[in-house]
């Protein structure tokens, strides 16, 4: 979950695997926006570039908890902490730790090590449910279809994860986001698409406020590595893993975390994303 004071941008929910329904296959390539003033066009295209990572809560309601971006016909990129959240929740269910003595340092270390080992074992191949825009029927309402992605690559330090569709025959129609060749200049407008506080496909705009180096202190404290693009704008929990896009609809960053300051958010730098996608998928 995102909290003020600088916690990562995710909502913490218990994990319930959803049953995938059938859907129309196929995809298409993202078309760049020729005229930046055509705002409705870019909103529609960014919706198609973006998925909602969803879960079913204890009341049986399906809702989004993080965002992802199509970077290929069968691949989605998101924030690593979005992937780790449901894994860690599952591990807590499997290893509650109620019988561990808090005053026994050795027992606590062994327990934490075992829990972290379970997280690592679950990371590769872990399955996450998603929907696309056309399948949403409203907030906290059952979507028309639910599909499955599985984790194939992740980078905790840079807060990135790559997911691939679990069933190649079950891929709804969508656009694919193009990676920008250049970073936007400071004060340039960026377009953000995500699921703010569980509200599907919320569009907001922001400004590039600054670029931050690899190891500036707020990032070091989280064990993360930059560089980051700092955006001033209305970005909140549920935007995690979602993209910032330039006026041509090209991906320029991925939402990672908020500092303890109003209307500020740090996005993974486009060159970090490009490098991550260029590395081979582990076998």
């Amino acid at each position: 979950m995102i909290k003020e004071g600088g916690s990562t941008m995710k909502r913490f929910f218990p994990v319930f695997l959803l049953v995938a329904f059938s859907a129309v296959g196929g995809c298409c390539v993202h078309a760049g926006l020729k005229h930046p003033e055509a705002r409705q066009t870019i909103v529609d295209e960014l919706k198609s570039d973006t998925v909602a990572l969803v879960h079913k809560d204890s009341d049986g309601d399906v809702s989004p908890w993080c965002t992802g971006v199509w970077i290929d016909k069968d691949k989605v990129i998101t924030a690593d902490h979005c992937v780790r959240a449901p894994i860690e929740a599952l591990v807590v269910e499997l290893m509650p730790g109620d019988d561990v003595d808090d005053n026994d340092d050795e027992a606590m270390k062994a327990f934490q090590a075992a829990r972290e080992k379970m997280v690592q074992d679950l990371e590769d191949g872990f399955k996450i449910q998603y929907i696309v825009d056309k399948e949403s029927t409203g907030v906290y309402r059952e979507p028309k279809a639910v599909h499955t992605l599985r984790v194939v690559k992740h980078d905790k330090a840079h807060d990135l994860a790559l997911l691939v569709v679990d069933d190649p025959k079950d891929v709804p129609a969508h656009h694919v986001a193009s990676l920008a060749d250049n970073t936007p200049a400071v004060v340039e407008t960026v377009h953000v698409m995500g699921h703010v506080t569980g509200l599907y496909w919320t569009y907001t705009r922001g400004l590039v406020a600054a670029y931050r180096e690899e190891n500036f202190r707020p990032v070091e404290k989280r064990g993360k590595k930059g560089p980051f693009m700092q955006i001033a704008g209305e970005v909140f929990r549920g935007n995690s893993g979602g993209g910032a896009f330039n006026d041509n609809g090209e991906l320029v960053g991925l939402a990672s975390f908020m500092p303890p300051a109003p209307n500020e958010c740090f996005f993974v730098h486009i060159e970090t994303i490009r490098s991550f996608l260029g590395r081979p998928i582990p076998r």
Side-chain angles (χ1 to χ4, degrees), residues 122-134:
L122 287 171
E123 278 177 332
D124 293 325
F126 189 79
K127 294 184 180 181
I128 292 175
Q129 307 298 317
Y130 78 97
I131 68 171
V132 298
D133 177 44
K134 302 300 183 183

Side-chain angles (χ1 to χ4, degrees), residues 35-50:
H35 305 289
E37 66 273 18
R39 296 304 177 197
Q40 191 56 51
T41 299
I42 198 169
V43 170
D44 290 343
E45 292 197 1
L46 298 190
K47 282 184 176 181
S48 190
D49 285 340
T50 301

Side-chain angles (χ1 to χ4, degrees), residues 15-155:
V15 178
F16 296 89
L17 295 182
L18 303 175
V19 178
F21 298 95
S22 61
V24 179
C27 69
C28 54
V29 176
H30 187 293
L33 183 67
K34 301 297 184 182
H35 305 289
E37 66 273 18
R39 296 304 177 197
Q40 191 56 51
T41 299
I42 198 169
V43 170
D44 290 343
E45 292 197 1
L46 298 190
K47 282 184 176 181
S48 190
D49 285 340
T50 301
V51 304
L53 304 182
V54 297
H55 81 293
K56 182 174 287 188
D57 63 23
S58 57
D59 295 326
D61 295 322
V62 176
S63 62
W65 50 277
C66 261
T67 307
V69 179
W70 291 106
I71 48 83
D72 202 344
K73 63 182 181 180
D74 63 346
K75 296 181 180 66
V76 168
I77 191 170
T78 189
D80 176 74
H81 73 261
C82 286
V83 170
R84 290 180 65 85
I87 294 175
E88 290 172 352
L90 178 60
V91 169
V92 169
E93 290 182 14
L94 297 174
M95 296 180 61
D98 296 336
D99 56 348
V100 180
D101 184 356
D102 294 343
N103 298 316
D104 188 335
D105 291 342
E106 291 301 319
M108 284 300 298
K109 287 180 181 179
F111 172 72
Q112 293 297 342
R115 187 176 269 185
E116 182 60 27
K117 176 64 165 55
M118 182 177 287
V119 170
Q120 293 174 357
D121 290 344
L122 287 171
E123 278 177 332
D124 293 325
F126 189 79
K127 294 184 180 181
I128 292 175
Q129 307 298 317
Y130 78 97
I131 68 171
V132 298
D133 177 44
K134 302 300 183 183
E135 295 164 342
S136 173
T137 61
V139 179
Y140 293 108
R141 294 182 178 177
E142 192 75 21
K144 296 177 184 177
V146 178
H147 315 276
T148 305
L149 296 160
R150 55 185 171 83
V151 181
V152 294
K153 182 167 60 171
H154 49 88
D155 183 339

